[in-house]
Each structure stands twice: as structure tokens, then as C-alpha cells.
Amino acid sequence: GYTDLEDIADHLISNGVTVQWWVSCDDRLPETDGVYIICDRRLNGNPWIHTAGFIKASSSWCELHGIFYDDRYGRYSEQDKITHWMPLPQPPKGE
């Protein structure tokens, strides 16, 4: 019944497991600077999933080369090909 599902959900949440959903860039962009998982269509229109930096001040995505910053270096030349994004998952918990 629902109690079992709720117990499972509570267990997952308490252990840091969250559901990640793709967010369409047409709907909204990230609210903070950071590194995100993105999907773009740079490979002949086919989906390519990887990470990228986002800079809120300029609402732009940049390639990651260890660091990212708000200038022309590393900026995606074709911003419109990025279709979706999602936050990075939590890192694994180690002993």
C-alpha cells in the first residue's frame, strides 16, 4: 500500500537520494552560478549530455576547463543549441 511507498521515499530522501528532472531552457535557466548537467544539440542535432558552467550575470553557459568565468573564454558560441539542464547529483557518501 501507500505506507510502503512512503516508507521507501522517506528512506531514500533521508539518505540523500533525490529525483533529478531535466529543465527546459525555454522554461527557465539556473538561478545561481555553478556547474550543471546539460543536453545540447551540437553533434549534428543529436543530444549530447555533459557538464557546463552557468553564469547568471550574463545568462550564459561556458565550457569547463577546471574553472569558469564571465568573459569570452570558453563561452558557448551557440547558446541556443543547449536545450535542457539539471543540477549535479550529490557526491557519493564515503566512509
XYZ file of all heavy atoms in Angstrom:
776
model
N 0.811 -1.188 0.000
C 0.000 0.000 0.000
C 0.854 1.251 0.000
O 2.067 1.211 -0.172
N 0.189 2.362 0.193
C 0.882 3.639 0.159
C 1.898 3.766 1.278
O 2.913 4.407 1.126
C -0.129 4.801 0.235
C -0.914 4.966 -1.032
C -2.253 4.631 -1.093
C -0.305 5.452 -2.180
C -2.969 4.777 -2.263
C -1.004 5.594 -3.364
C -2.349 5.263 -3.400
O -3.044 5.410 -4.553
N 1.637 3.140 2.409
C 2.567 3.238 3.529
C 3.940 2.716 3.130
O 4.949 3.330 3.437
C 2.039 2.442 4.738
O 0.730 2.925 5.051
C 2.935 2.618 5.930
N 3.978 1.602 2.406
C 5.256 1.049 1.961
C 5.981 2.031 1.047
O 7.182 2.246 1.183
C 5.054 -0.275 1.233
C 4.529 -1.367 2.161
O 4.733 -1.235 3.387
O 3.912 -2.317 1.656
N 5.260 2.630 0.098
C 5.872 3.585 -0.823
C 6.379 4.806 -0.070
O 7.463 5.314 -0.346
C 4.879 4.006 -1.908
C 4.487 2.923 -2.910
C 3.423 3.442 -3.876
C 5.706 2.431 -3.675
N 5.603 5.274 0.886
C 6.032 6.425 1.687
C 7.277 6.087 2.487
O 8.190 6.910 2.605
C 4.900 6.887 2.608
C 3.753 7.536 1.847
C 2.547 7.820 2.741
O 2.623 7.551 3.961
O 1.546 8.295 2.209
N 7.326 4.871 3.043
C 8.500 4.445 3.797
C 9.739 4.417 2.890
O 10.822 4.854 3.287
C 8.287 3.057 4.412
C 7.270 3.072 5.549
O 6.961 4.177 6.048
O 6.792 1.988 5.914
N 9.573 3.897 1.698
C 10.690 3.843 0.750
C 11.137 5.263 0.397
O 12.331 5.571 0.413
C 10.300 3.056 -0.519
C 10.102 1.577 -0.175
C 11.355 3.223 -1.609
C 9.461 0.764 -1.275
N 10.177 6.139 0.096
C 10.509 7.523 -0.252
C 11.228 8.205 0.902
O 12.241 8.889 0.698
C 9.246 8.291 -0.640
N 10.725 8.028 2.123
C 11.375 8.637 3.295
C 12.797 8.123 3.455
O 13.711 8.883 3.772
C 10.568 8.347 4.571
C 9.266 9.120 4.623
O 9.113 10.101 3.847
O 8.404 8.751 5.436
N 12.986 6.825 3.244
C 14.315 6.230 3.362
C 15.270 6.826 2.328
O 16.399 7.195 2.645
C 14.234 4.714 3.200
C 15.575 4.042 3.188
N 16.322 3.851 4.326
C 16.321 3.553 2.168
C 17.457 3.262 4.010
N 17.486 3.070 2.694
N 14.819 6.935 1.076
C 15.660 7.489 0.019
C 16.008 8.942 0.304
O 17.172 9.346 0.201
C 14.962 7.368 -1.339
C 14.799 5.945 -1.871
C 13.954 5.949 -3.139
C 16.145 5.300 -2.129
N 15.020 9.730 0.699
C 15.251 11.152 0.978
C 16.216 11.314 2.147
O 17.144 12.125 2.098
C 13.918 11.874 1.244
C 13.113 11.945 -0.067
C 14.154 13.279 1.816
C 11.667 12.369 0.128
N 16.040 10.515 3.192
C 16.904 10.637 4.368
C 18.342 10.218 4.060
O 19.266 10.597 4.768
C 16.347 9.823 5.543
O 16.428 8.438 5.260
N 18.529 9.442 2.991
C 19.868 9.028 2.594
C 20.418 9.862 1.441
O 21.383 9.472 0.793
C 19.875 7.542 2.228
C 19.844 6.674 3.472
O 20.854 6.499 4.133
N 18.672 6.174 3.810
N 19.784 11.002 1.185
C 20.316 11.940 0.211
C 20.010 11.626 -1.234
O 20.583 12.221 -2.139
N 19.095 10.685 -1.471
C 18.733 10.362 -2.848
C 17.612 11.306 -3.281
O 16.604 11.435 -2.601
C 18.258 8.898 -2.981
C 17.803 8.603 -4.402
C 19.364 7.954 -2.559
N 17.832 11.994 -4.384
C 16.797 12.891 -4.899
C 16.519 12.554 -6.355
O 17.363 11.996 -7.051
C 17.223 14.364 -4.794
O 18.444 14.535 -5.520
C 17.412 14.791 -3.348
N 15.351 12.901 -6.801
C 14.982 12.683 -8.192
C 15.453 13.882 -9.003
O 15.197 15.027 -8.625
C 13.454 12.512 -8.335
C 13.073 12.379 -9.804
C 12.988 11.303 -7.550
N 16.166 13.621 -10.064
C 16.648 14.696 -10.921
C 15.759 14.774 -12.156
O 15.481 13.767 -12.788
C 18.100 14.421 -11.341
C 19.065 14.300 -10.193
C 19.277 15.619 -9.471
O 19.309 16.666 -10.071
N 19.413 15.548 -8.171
N 15.314 15.969 -12.470
C 14.479 16.178 -13.640
C 15.147 17.163 -14.573
O 15.759 18.133 -14.144
C 13.119 16.746 -13.230
C 12.330 15.837 -12.357
C 12.180 15.926 -11.002
C 11.576 14.692 -12.749
N 11.397 14.906 -10.534
C 11.006 14.142 -11.590
C 11.338 14.083 -13.976
C 10.205 13.008 -11.626
C 10.540 12.956 -13.999
C 9.985 12.433 -12.838
N 15.022 16.922 -15.862
C 15.507 17.867 -16.858
C 14.634 19.110 -16.836
O 13.413 19.023 -16.757
C 15.456 17.251 -18.251
C 16.500 16.206 -18.492
C 16.307 14.849 -18.570
C 17.896 16.420 -18.687
N 17.507 14.225 -18.793
C 18.498 15.153 -18.885
C 18.705 17.567 -18.715
C 19.861 15.007 -19.102
C 20.067 17.410 -18.936
C 20.633 16.144 -19.128
N 15.261 20.273 -16.935
C 14.556 21.550 -17.017
C 14.814 22.113 -18.403
O 15.966 22.209 -18.839
C 15.061 22.547 -15.944
C 14.339 23.878 -16.076
C 14.903 21.960 -14.554
N 13.755 22.486 -19.096
C 13.905 23.063 -20.422
C 14.447 24.486 -20.307
O 13.982 25.277 -19.483
C 12.558 23.093 -21.144
O 12.659 23.844 -22.340
N 15.428 24.818 -21.139
C 15.959 26.189 -21.155
C 14.893 27.184 -21.600
O 14.995 28.375 -21.302
C 17.178 26.275 -22.065
S 18.610 25.375 -21.417
N 13.871 26.706 -22.307
C 12.765 27.582 -22.691
C 11.923 27.965 -21.475
O 11.294 29.014 -21.460
C 11.871 26.911 -23.737
C 12.563 26.776 -25.081
O 13.525 27.533 -25.347
O 12.148 25.896 -25.866
N 11.901 27.091 -20.456
C 11.110 27.367 -19.252
C 11.857 28.280 -18.291
O 11.308 29.255 -17.806
C 10.735 26.063 -18.536
C 9.764 25.231 -19.349
O 9.092 25.783 -20.239
O 9.688 24.017 -19.090
N 13.105 27.927 -17.985
C 13.903 28.764 -17.084
C 15.352 28.326 -17.119
O 15.675 27.223 -17.532
C 13.366 28.725 -15.657
C 13.442 27.389 -14.964
C 12.791 27.446 -13.579
N 12.641 26.118 -13.037
C 13.536 25.505 -12.280
N 14.661 26.115 -11.973
N 13.311 24.300 -11.807
N 16.222 29.231 -16.675
C 17.646 28.952 -16.551
C 17.986 28.821 -15.071
O 17.178 29.199 -14.217
C 18.447 30.082 -17.196
C 18.317 30.177 -18.721
C 18.982 31.443 -19.229
C 18.897 28.952 -19.402
N 19.162 28.298 -14.733
C 19.526 28.179 -13.316
C 19.487 29.537 -12.609
O 19.678 30.584 -13.237
C 20.957 27.631 -13.366
C 21.045 26.919 -14.672
C 20.198 27.724 -15.610
N 19.245 29.501 -11.297
C 19.158 30.725 -10.509
C 20.491 31.121 -9.896
O 20.610 32.224 -9.360
C 18.092 30.565 -9.422
C 16.704 30.373 -10.004
C 15.638 30.183 -8.945
O 15.954 30.324 -7.746
O 14.504 29.877 -9.316
N 21.476 30.239 -9.957
C 22.784 30.542 -9.370
C 23.901 30.094 -10.300
O 23.730 29.181 -11.110
C 22.968 29.842 -8.006
O 22.830 28.437 -8.194
C 21.957 30.322 -6.981
N 25.050 30.760 -10.161
C 26.247 30.324 -10.875
C 26.571 28.898 -10.441
O 26.319 28.526 -9.291
C 27.447 31.198 -10.508
C 27.345 32.615 -11.033
O 26.387 32.917 -11.766
O 28.230 33.414 -10.702
N 27.136 28.125 -11.329
C 27.531 26.788 -10.925
C 27.760 25.876 -12.097
O 27.747 26.303 -13.259
N 27.965 24.616 -11.778
C 28.174 23.577 -12.773
C 26.904 22.741 -12.840
O 26.345 22.363 -11.809
C 29.384 22.700 -12.403
C 29.575 21.595 -13.431
C 30.639 23.556 -12.294
N 26.455 22.456 -14.047
C 25.206 21.731 -14.260
C 25.402 20.651 -15.319
O 26.339 20.710 -16.108
C 24.102 22.695 -14.723
C 23.754 23.723 -13.682
C 24.461 24.919 -13.591
C 22.745 23.486 -12.762
C 24.159 25.851 -12.611
C 22.432 24.422 -11.780
C 23.148 25.593 -11.711
O 22.850 26.503 -10.738
N 24.506 19.674 -15.321
C 24.436 18.709 -16.407
C 23.574 19.355 -17.486
O 22.498 19.882 -17.182
C 23.811 17.379 -15.942
C 24.652 16.756 -14.825
C 23.667 16.412 -17.118
C 23.987 15.564 -14.152
N 24.054 19.321 -18.720
C 23.271 19.923 -19.796
C 23.090 18.942 -20.946
O 23.832 17.971 -21.076
C 23.898 21.223 -20.333
C 25.227 20.941 -21.035
C 24.052 22.254 -19.227
C 25.723 22.095 -21.874
N 22.100 19.206 -21.764
C 21.881 18.479 -23.007
C 21.884 19.510 -24.119
O 21.138 20.485 -24.056
C 20.555 17.732 -22.963
S 20.209 16.806 -24.477
N 22.747 19.305 -25.093
C 22.722 20.231 -26.230
C 22.654 19.444 -27.534
O 22.663 18.223 -27.550
C 23.892 21.219 -26.192
C 25.244 20.601 -26.487
O 25.302 19.630 -27.271
O 26.239 21.098 -25.946
N 22.519 20.181 -28.623
C 22.325 19.573 -29.937
C 23.448 19.957 -30.897
O 23.221 20.209 -32.064
C 20.978 20.029 -30.515
C 19.787 19.668 -29.675
C 19.382 18.247 -29.904
N 18.235 17.877 -29.084
C 17.561 16.767 -29.240
N 17.918 15.913 -30.179
N 16.549 16.476 -28.468
N 24.680 20.007 -30.360
C 25.799 20.420 -31.205
C 26.299 19.318 -32.127
O 26.977 19.596 -33.101
C 26.952 20.941 -30.348
C 26.613 22.252 -29.680
C 27.820 22.839 -29.013
N 28.322 21.965 -27.961
C 29.515 22.087 -27.402
N 30.326 23.030 -27.775
N 29.892 21.281 -26.434
N 25.989 18.069 -31.807
C 26.500 16.951 -32.614
C 25.495 16.591 -33.700
O 24.708 15.665 -33.562
C 26.787 15.735 -31.730
C 27.847 15.934 -30.654
C 27.998 14.673 -29.824
C 29.178 16.317 -31.279
N 25.499 17.381 -34.770
C 24.587 17.151 -35.906
C 23.128 17.054 -35.468
O 22.356 16.275 -36.015
C 24.985 15.881 -36.667
C 26.375 15.970 -37.235
O 26.768 17.021 -37.745
N 27.133 14.900 -37.144
N 22.771 17.841 -34.460
C 21.389 17.846 -33.984
C 21.053 16.736 -33.019
O 19.929 16.653 -32.543
N 22.024 15.867 -32.719
C 21.774 14.762 -31.785
C 22.057 15.199 -30.356
O 22.921 16.038 -30.122
C 22.668 13.566 -32.135
C 22.339 12.992 -33.493
O 21.175 12.773 -33.810
N 23.351 12.777 -34.300
N 21.340 14.630 -29.376
C 21.569 15.017 -27.982
C 22.976 14.659 -27.515
O 23.476 13.575 -27.826
C 20.531 14.200 -27.201
C 19.556 13.708 -28.199
C 20.264 13.650 -29.510
N 23.594 15.559 -26.795
C 24.896 15.329 -26.180
C 24.782 15.785 -24.735
O 24.486 16.948 -24.464
C 25.989 16.107 -26.908
C 27.365 15.854 -26.367
C 27.862 14.686 -25.881
C 28.421 16.804 -26.266
N 29.168 14.838 -25.484
C 29.538 16.127 -25.717
C 28.547 18.150 -26.593
C 30.742 16.762 -25.473
C 29.758 18.770 -26.351
C 30.837 18.085 -25.805
N 24.979 14.866 -23.797
C 24.831 15.162 -22.375
C 26.210 15.278 -21.750
O 27.031 14.374 -21.888
C 23.994 14.070 -21.681
C 22.574 14.068 -22.263
C 23.954 14.301 -20.169
C 21.738 12.895 -21.815
N 26.455 16.398 -21.087
C 27.743 16.639 -20.444
C 27.573 17.745 -19.415
O 26.457 18.160 -19.131
C 28.815 16.991 -21.487
C 28.471 18.161 -22.346
N 29.054 19.395 -22.210
C 27.578 18.290 -23.351
C 28.542 20.230 -23.095
N 27.653 19.585 -23.802
N 28.659 18.197 -18.816
C 28.566 19.261 -17.827
C 29.031 20.579 -18.427
O 29.819 20.610 -19.373
C 29.413 18.953 -16.576
O 30.753 18.704 -16.986
C 28.868 17.760 -15.819
N 28.506 21.667 -17.863
C 28.897 23.008 -18.293
C 28.704 23.956 -17.125
O 27.938 23.681 -16.197
C 28.060 23.471 -19.477
N 29.415 25.073 -17.179
C 29.233 26.112 -16.182
C 28.148 27.075 -16.620
O 27.941 27.288 -17.820
N 27.435 27.644 -15.664
C 26.431 28.669 -15.958
C 26.791 29.934 -15.200
O 27.165 29.873 -14.024
C 25.031 28.208 -15.550
C 23.977 29.223 -15.876
C 23.539 29.397 -17.181
C 23.444 30.039 -14.884
C 22.590 30.350 -17.487
C 22.493 30.996 -15.183
C 22.056 31.150 -16.491
N 26.692 31.067 -15.866
C 26.992 32.359 -15.260
C 25.722 33.202 -15.286
O 25.253 33.607 -16.354
C 28.127 33.065 -16.021
C 29.366 32.170 -16.029
C 28.425 34.431 -15.408
C 30.341 32.489 -17.122
N 25.137 33.430 -14.103
C 23.862 34.122 -14.027
C 23.947 35.561 -14.526
O 23.031 36.042 -15.199
C 23.337 34.099 -12.595
C 21.965 34.752 -12.462
C 21.350 34.494 -11.107
C 20.024 35.206 -10.947
N 19.011 34.798 -11.916
N 25.035 36.283 -14.217
C 25.148 37.701 -14.578
C 24.942 37.932 -16.070
O 24.364 38.947 -16.476
C 26.501 38.253 -14.134
N 25.397 36.987 -16.881
C 25.257 37.141 -18.327
C 24.312 36.098 -18.930
O 24.170 36.026 -20.153
C 26.628 37.035 -19.001
O 27.244 35.810 -18.652
N 23.665 35.295 -18.067
C 22.769 34.222 -18.527
C 23.421 33.388 -19.619
O 22.820 33.112 -20.650
C 21.438 34.795 -19.013
O 20.739 35.361 -17.950
N 24.674 33.010 -19.391
C 25.386 32.274 -20.431
C 26.016 31.007 -19.875
O 26.333 30.904 -18.698
C 26.457 33.161 -21.067
O 27.414 33.536 -20.106
N 26.186 30.051 -20.770
C 26.839 28.790 -20.464
C 28.277 28.863 -20.929
O 28.592 29.556 -21.891
C 26.134 27.644 -21.185
C 24.725 27.444 -20.739
C 23.599 27.946 -21.329
C 24.278 26.701 -19.606
N 22.489 27.557 -20.626
C 22.870 26.792 -19.568
C 24.938 25.964 -18.619
C 22.116 26.170 -18.589
C 24.177 25.352 -17.636
C 22.789 25.448 -17.629
N 29.165 28.141 -20.262
C 30.556 28.104 -20.696
C 31.089 26.686 -20.585
O 30.615 25.891 -19.789
C 31.417 29.071 -19.891
S 31.498 28.708 -18.139
N 32.078 26.414 -21.435
C 32.774 25.139 -21.369
C 33.523 25.086 -20.041
O 33.876 26.123 -19.485
C 33.783 25.028 -22.510
C 33.181 25.143 -23.890
C 32.574 23.845 -24.389
O 32.596 22.848 -23.634
O 32.089 23.838 -25.523
N 33.787 23.896 -19.559
C 34.534 23.749 -18.315
C 35.957 23.315 -18.611
O 36.182 22.323 -19.288
C 33.873 22.710 -17.408
C 32.550 23.139 -16.801
C 31.952 21.986 -16.020
C 32.737 24.329 -15.906
N 36.882 24.081 -18.106
C 38.305 23.730 -18.218
C 38.916 23.833 -16.825
O 39.896 24.507 -16.615
C 39.008 24.669 -19.187
C 38.407 24.675 -20.547
N 38.613 23.652 -21.445
C 37.560 25.541 -21.150
C 37.941 23.905 -22.557
N 37.295 25.041 -22.403
N 38.257 23.202 -15.867
C 38.709 23.276 -14.484
C 38.128 24.484 -13.765
O 37.798 24.412 -12.599
N 37.993 25.607 -14.481
C 37.388 26.808 -13.906
C 36.470 27.417 -14.959
O 36.540 27.079 -16.135
C 38.448 27.856 -13.490
C 39.308 28.240 -14.693
C 39.299 27.355 -12.345
C 40.245 29.396 -14.421
N 35.605 28.312 -14.533
C 34.806 29.061 -15.497
C 34.673 30.481 -14.997
O 34.715 30.753 -13.814
C 33.435 28.422 -15.729
C 32.516 28.448 -14.555
C 31.569 29.445 -14.410
C 32.587 27.461 -13.572
C 30.712 29.460 -13.321
C 31.731 27.472 -12.487
C 30.792 28.477 -12.367
N 34.551 31.403 -15.918
C 34.455 32.800 -15.528
C 33.741 33.588 -16.618
O 33.570 33.105 -17.750
C 35.827 33.394 -15.214
C 36.953 32.911 -16.085
C 37.358 33.621 -17.196
C 37.606 31.711 -15.781
C 38.395 33.172 -17.991
C 38.647 31.255 -16.582
C 39.036 32.001 -17.684
O 40.051 31.542 -18.470
N 33.317 34.792 -16.269
C 32.399 35.555 -17.106
C 33.146 36.425 -18.121
O 33.290 37.618 -17.952
C 31.511 36.424 -16.209
C 30.313 36.972 -16.962
O 30.125 36.610 -18.133
O 29.570 37.761 -16.366
N 33.637 35.793 -19.170
C 34.212 36.544 -20.278
C 34.073 35.691 -21.526
O 33.352 34.710 -21.513
C 35.674 36.937 -20.000
C 36.592 35.728 -19.909
O 36.168 34.604 -20.238
O 37.737 35.912 -19.504
N 34.758 36.043 -22.567
C 34.573 35.328 -23.829
C 35.205 33.937 -23.812
O 34.846 33.079 -24.594
C 35.165 36.136 -24.979
C 34.439 37.424 -25.222
C 35.100 38.178 -26.379
N 34.688 39.566 -26.399
C 33.587 40.008 -26.959
N 32.757 39.151 -27.532
N 33.283 41.283 -26.942
N 36.151 33.699 -22.939
C 36.851 32.415 -22.932
C 35.918 31.274 -22.548
O 35.304 31.292 -21.482
C 38.026 32.460 -21.962
C 38.776 31.160 -21.899
C 39.678 30.807 -22.895
C 38.566 30.270 -20.863
C 40.364 29.607 -22.848
C 39.251 29.065 -20.807
C 40.142 28.749 -21.807
O 40.818 27.557 -21.763
N 35.818 30.303 -23.420
C 35.023 29.130 -23.094
C 33.535 29.294 -23.267
O 32.791 28.349 -23.074
N 33.079 30.468 -23.639
C 31.640 30.683 -23.802
C 31.123 29.855 -24.974
O 31.770 29.780 -26.008
C 31.385 32.177 -24.061
C 29.957 32.545 -24.342
C 29.179 33.122 -23.219
N 29.872 33.853 -22.202
C 29.804 35.163 -22.051
N 29.141 35.910 -22.899
N 30.400 35.734 -21.039
N 29.968 29.238 -24.824
C 29.379 28.521 -25.945
C 29.054 29.519 -27.044
O 28.444 30.552 -26.807
C 28.085 27.833 -25.518
C 28.306 26.483 -24.908
C 28.310 26.326 -23.528
C 28.515 25.371 -25.698
C 28.525 25.089 -22.962
C 28.720 24.131 -25.132
C 28.727 23.995 -23.767
O 28.946 22.774 -23.211
N 29.449 29.196 -28.250
C 29.159 30.090 -29.365
C 27.720 29.935 -29.840
O 27.184 30.823 -30.484
C 30.128 29.836 -30.517
O 30.026 28.494 -30.949
N 27.126 28.797 -29.525
C 25.752 28.559 -29.959
C 24.883 28.225 -28.746
O 24.508 27.090 -28.523
C 25.724 27.421 -30.976
C 26.531 27.739 -32.233
C 26.616 26.551 -33.163
O 27.403 25.632 -32.880
O 25.888 26.561 -34.158
N 24.578 29.263 -27.986
C 23.801 29.085 -26.755
C 22.451 28.413 -27.030
O 21.946 27.675 -26.205
C 23.550 30.449 -26.096
C 24.792 31.192 -25.678
C 25.362 30.707 -24.357
O 24.641 30.321 -23.464
N 26.673 30.718 -24.249
N 21.873 28.714 -28.185
C 20.526 28.219 -28.469
C 20.478 26.714 -28.683
O 19.404 26.133 -28.687
C 19.944 28.934 -29.693
C 20.792 28.737 -30.942
O 22.026 28.620 -30.816
O 20.212 28.713 -32.032
N 21.640 26.069 -28.842
C 21.633 24.616 -29.024
C 21.547 23.868 -27.698
O 21.347 22.665 -27.685
C 22.859 24.176 -29.817
C 22.774 24.625 -31.265
C 23.744 23.893 -32.139
C 23.539 24.302 -33.600
N 24.444 23.570 -34.476
N 21.723 24.560 -26.564
C 21.537 23.938 -25.256
C 20.038 23.914 -24.987
O 19.384 24.955 -24.950
C 22.286 24.696 -24.152
C 23.785 24.687 -24.461
C 21.992 24.075 -22.781
C 24.599 25.546 -23.528
N 19.494 22.717 -24.834
C 18.044 22.583 -24.724
C 17.555 22.364 -23.295
O 16.498 22.837 -22.925
C 17.541 21.417 -25.592
O 18.135 20.194 -25.130
C 17.879 21.641 -27.062
N 18.330 21.635 -22.476
C 17.890 21.264 -21.126
C 19.068 21.259 -20.164
O 20.218 21.122 -20.575
C 17.254 19.870 -21.123
C 15.988 19.788 -21.893
N 15.968 19.704 -23.265
C 14.696 19.785 -21.480
C 14.710 19.650 -23.668
N 13.922 19.697 -22.613
N 18.749 21.371 -18.875
C 19.768 21.311 -17.826
C 19.172 20.677 -16.585
O 17.950 20.565 -16.452
C 20.304 22.707 -17.510
C 19.265 23.656 -16.977
C 18.419 24.436 -17.724
C 18.933 23.894 -15.617
N 17.588 25.157 -16.893
C 17.881 24.847 -15.600
C 19.422 23.413 -14.407
C 17.312 25.314 -14.418
C 18.856 23.871 -13.226
C 17.810 24.820 -13.242
N 20.060 20.250 -15.671
C 19.639 19.763 -14.353
C 20.810 19.941 -13.392
O 21.961 20.033 -13.821
C 19.192 18.301 -14.392
C 20.288 17.302 -14.610
S 19.769 15.588 -14.284
C 18.616 15.291 -15.601
N 20.504 20.028 -12.086
C 21.588 20.141 -11.106
C 22.428 18.877 -11.082
O 21.970 17.799 -11.436
C 20.861 20.309 -9.769
C 19.452 20.652 -10.109
C 19.179 20.076 -11.466
N 23.671 19.026 -10.648
C 24.504 17.853 -10.436
C 23.949 17.053 -9.265
O 23.395 17.621 -8.324
C 25.939 18.273 -10.100
C 26.767 18.901 -11.205
C 28.102 19.360 -10.633
C 26.974 17.934 -12.344
N 24.085 15.731 -9.286
C 23.665 14.937 -8.131
C 24.621 15.169 -6.969
O 25.728 15.667 -7.145
C 23.754 13.484 -8.645
C 24.767 13.555 -9.733
C 24.633 14.907 -10.370
N 24.182 14.786 -5.797
C 25.049 14.861 -4.621
C 26.195 13.875 -4.805
O 26.011 12.797 -5.363
C 24.275 14.506 -3.351
C 23.228 15.522 -2.975
C 23.840 16.862 -2.633
O 24.809 16.931 -1.907
N 23.265 17.931 -3.187
N 27.404 14.222 -4.336
C 28.510 13.265 -4.444
C 28.244 12.057 -3.559
O 27.461 12.135 -2.599
C 29.710 14.064 -3.950
C 29.142 15.157 -3.124
C 27.787 15.464 -3.689
N 28.874 10.922 -3.863
C 28.670 9.730 -3.037
C 29.194 9.963 -1.622
O 30.145 10.709 -1.418
C 29.479 8.648 -3.749
C 30.420 9.370 -4.637
C 29.817 10.700 -4.959
N 28.533 9.315 -0.670
C 28.969 9.413 0.725
C 30.014 8.360 0.969
O 29.779 7.177 0.772
C 27.775 9.205 1.666
C 26.761 10.319 1.591
C 25.634 10.088 2.580
C 24.627 11.229 2.510
N 23.516 11.036 3.429
N 31.199 8.807 1.386
C 32.279 7.865 1.630
C 32.485 7.644 3.120
O 32.004 8.399 3.947
N 33.189 6.601 3.418
C 33.494 6.307 4.830
C 34.760 7.013 5.241
O 35.677 7.138 4.489
C 33.671 4.790 5.017
C 32.375 4.037 4.853
C 31.315 4.431 5.865
O 31.655 4.639 7.054
O 30.138 4.548 5.474
